[in-house]
Amino acid sequence: MVKLDLKYGLPFCTVSLSYNGKKISIDNVLLDTGSGGTVFKMDVVEEIDITIEDDDVIETISGVGGSEFVYKKEVDSIALGDLELHNFKVEVGVMDYGFEINGILGMDFMKKVGAIINLDGMKVTKGNR
């Protein structure tokens, strides 16, 4: 079970990423059922050497807050408490949205891990899969 924090009226959590043997815990990650993909802030993931390389493709993503450029990286693992996936593709962008946010955990992750979101109890658990 993972506890969610309510900030700006939205559910935030902490996510762990590992990439090429390095691991980071990222707080201020929005749990967003309205986002198809998972995105992390470029400045934060640079700490574990996730950076843009010459052969990375730059794409545009759009949402309620507008559009931005991102590139994709496959991380070794991504975890929200005990909900974990290996070899998972994330998007990386500037994420300058006017408030403190280090990432967005999208439906791509939540669906694959079978997340059950309990907004009354402000927690996420793993479903019976």
Side-chain angles (χ1 to χ4, degrees):
M1 180 207 55
V2 176
K3 289 293 283 174
L4 298 174
D5 294 318
L6 198 62
K7 298 178 185 177
Y8 320 108
L10 300 168
F12 280 80
C13 58
T14 299
V15 173
S16 296
L17 283 184
S18 67
Y19 181 76
N20 287 342
K22 294 184 178 183
K23 191 170 185 175
I24 188 172
S25 182
I26 304 171
D27 59 0
N28 289 322
V29 177
L30 176 64
L31 188 72
D32 190 354
T33 60
S35 177
T38 295
V39 188
F40 290 98
K41 191 173 201 164
M42 192 180 305
D43 294 350
V44 174
V45 297
E46 280 178 351
E47 287 183 36
I48 57 170
D49 299 329
I50 297 178
T51 58
I52 192 163
E53 298 174 63
D54 291 340
D55 59 344
D56 289 335
V57 177
I58 296 174
E59 298 178 356
T60 304
I61 59 170
S62 298
V64 174
S67 298
E68 79 170 296
F69 295 105
V70 297
Y71 62 93
K72 291 186 178 184
K73 286 289 182 182
E74 186 173 287
V75 295
D76 299 333
S77 69
I78 178 173
L80 174 65
D82 61 348
L83 288 79
E84 184 174 14
L85 294 174
H86 296 275
N87 305 317
F88 185 76
K89 279 201 174 160
V90 299
E91 296 167 338
V92 179
V94 175
M95 297 192 71
D96 185 10
Y97 301 155
F99 61 97
E100 194 176 343
I101 182 170
N102 292 326
I104 296 172
L105 196 59
M107 282 296 291
D108 55 349
F109 174 85
M110 290 184 276
K111 184 87 172 121
K112 279 190 180 168
V113 296
I116 296 175
I117 304 166
N118 176 338
L119 294 176
D120 185 44
M122 290 300 289
K123 60 187 177 185
V124 179
T125 54
K126 188 173 179 95
N128 298 330
R129 297 191 103 185

